[in-house]
Amino acid sequence: MGQRIHFVVDPQGWCCMGLIIFVWLYNTVFIPKVILFPHYEEGNISVVAVLCYYFCSLFCIASLFRASVADPGKLTENPKIPVTEREHWELCNKCNMMRPKRSHHCSRCGHCVRRMDHHCPWINNCVGEDNHWLFLQLCFYTQILSSYTLILDFCHYYYFLPLKKENWDVFVFRHELALLRISAFMGLIILGGISRLFYTQLMGIFTDTTSIEKMSNCCEDIPRPQKPWQQTFSEVFGTHWKILWFIPFRQRHPLRVPYHFANHA
């Protein structure tokens, strides 16, 4: 099953996403040039450390691009509603389209999204049923890459042996301290922000509640069965194979859970 491309025309979102790409590109270029390659050449670190950094960087940017262009679950016009499911659909008062319950209308994108969690300007896209798993991967690998970068910044000054300056080019030699301070500053800011976001996302999956539902408190009085966390995560990632939850290079296949199973808004 192919995944539809979803492109949002939003200059503010482009700026936010461009900033994220700049931070990723900065660390992907300068951290290996300033720390990894010089210390590898002098035998202070192994090739595994270099490969792991590029591995995390690749998965981070891949999940970013896929989350930003993936269809979050946009509802099509004149959907075919099964007879057994009609009581679990409702009319959107903004776009006058029928939608399954737990769907919400995004004012920025201008359409309804199935099980919409929120609109994220950092990926210039909504986070909904079909790309929530990619957004979670983005948060996870961003934390890993930021933590790895901060560890390398620390070890470069306080743990690794001093480098032989003749092996460095002039630009790195003259601006080493400034480059690493910028890297550490961006790493701390991103790690702090993304860790809090990732925690709230995980708690939402554990409780089977979206961010919009939490803010509106619309599900507090609705009785619902408690689902095990393995089931809620499998529904988000589209597979019961836990190893695949960490792989962005695949297609998500819905587990065919009815919209009205558990809670609805």
Side-chain angles (χ1 to χ4, degrees):
M1 181 179 64
Q3 189 172 14
R4 293 182 297 176
I5 300 298
H6 183 259
F7 185 77
V8 180
V9 180
D10 183 5
Q12 180 183 351
W14 296 342
C15 293
C16 292
M17 189 174 175
L19 180 60
I20 296 298
I21 295 176
F22 168 78
V23 175
W24 172 84
L25 188 62
Y26 181 94
N27 287 316
T28 303
V29 171
F30 285 110
I31 291 300
K33 187 175 183 63
V34 176
I35 301 177
L36 289 174
F37 290 151
H39 283 287
Y40 169 71
E41 292 174 357
E42 297 189 8
N44 297 330
I45 59 175
S46 67
V47 67
V48 176
V50 180
L51 294 178
C52 285
Y53 191 84
Y54 278 112
F55 172 85
C56 294
S57 180
L58 174 63
F59 274 48
C60 182
I61 196 65
S63 56
L64 171 63
F65 277 117
R66 291 207 62 192
S68 65
V69 301
D71 182 3
K74 178 181 177 181
L75 290 170
T76 58
E77 296 184 2
N78 302 319
K80 296 182 179 179
I81 306 174
V83 177
T84 57
E85 295 285 330
R86 287 181 179 177
E87 62 178 303
H88 305 291
W89 286 62
E90 61 187 7
L91 181 67
C92 175
N93 57 8
K94 295 182 179 179
C95 60
N96 295 320
M97 288 181 54
M98 294 299 296
R99 66 185 187 186
K101 293 183 177 181
R102 302 196 73 185
S103 301
H104 291 274
H105 186 91
C106 178
S107 58
R108 188 170 291 273
C109 295
H111 54 72
C112 288
V113 176
R114 296 192 312 271
R115 203 179 184 278
M116 177 179 170
D117 187 85
H118 67 286
H119 182 92
C120 180
W122 300 107
I123 64 172
N124 192 35
N125 200 357
C126 287
V127 177
E129 182 178 270
D130 291 344
N131 71 339
H132 197 177
W133 66 286
L134 290 166
F135 183 75
L136 290 171
Q137 288 183 354
L138 173 62
C139 294
F140 175 76
Y141 286 115
T142 300
Q143 288 183 99
I144 297 297
L145 186 61
S146 299
S147 300
Y148 199 174
T149 299
L150 291 172
I151 291 173
L152 289 174
D153 291 338
F154 176 84
C155 291
H156 178 69
Y157 279 108
Y158 301 105
Y159 182 77
F160 293 147
L161 296 174
L163 293 170
K164 299 176 182 178
K165 302 299 182 181
E166 59 268 18
N167 292 340
W168 292 24
D169 60 40
V170 177
F171 179 84
V172 172
F173 175 74
R174 296 180 58 183
H175 303 284
E176 171 204 359
L177 182 60
L179 292 173
L180 294 184
R181 282 181 175 177
I182 294 174
S183 173
F185 175 77
M186 294 189 299
L188 288 172
I189 295 296
I190 291 180
L191 181 61
I194 207 71
S195 296
R196 182 177 180 274
L197 175 61
F198 189 56
Y199 173 78
T200 59
Q201 289 292 304
L202 291 180
M203 290 302 101
I205 296 177
F206 278 120
T207 58
D208 193 23
T209 308
T210 65
S211 298
I212 293 178
E213 292 166 350
K214 287 181 182 178
M215 291 186 293
S216 60
N217 297 321
C218 59
C219 299
E220 292 181 348
D221 300 328
I222 299 177
R224 58 187 178 185
Q226 184 67 34
K227 294 190 288 186
W229 70 268
Q230 294 94 336
Q231 180 177 346
T232 57
F233 273 84
S234 297
E235 291 173 7
V236 170
F237 286 94
T239 178
H240 293 289
W241 293 89
K242 295 180 177 61
I243 187 63
L244 296 180
W245 295 357
F246 300 91
I247 308 299
F249 307 103
R250 66 177 180 88
Q251 296 294 333
R252 176 184 179 275
H253 299 280
L255 296 182
R256 303 299 180 186
V257 177
Y259 293 110
H260 61 281
F261 186 86
N263 62 327
H264 58 266

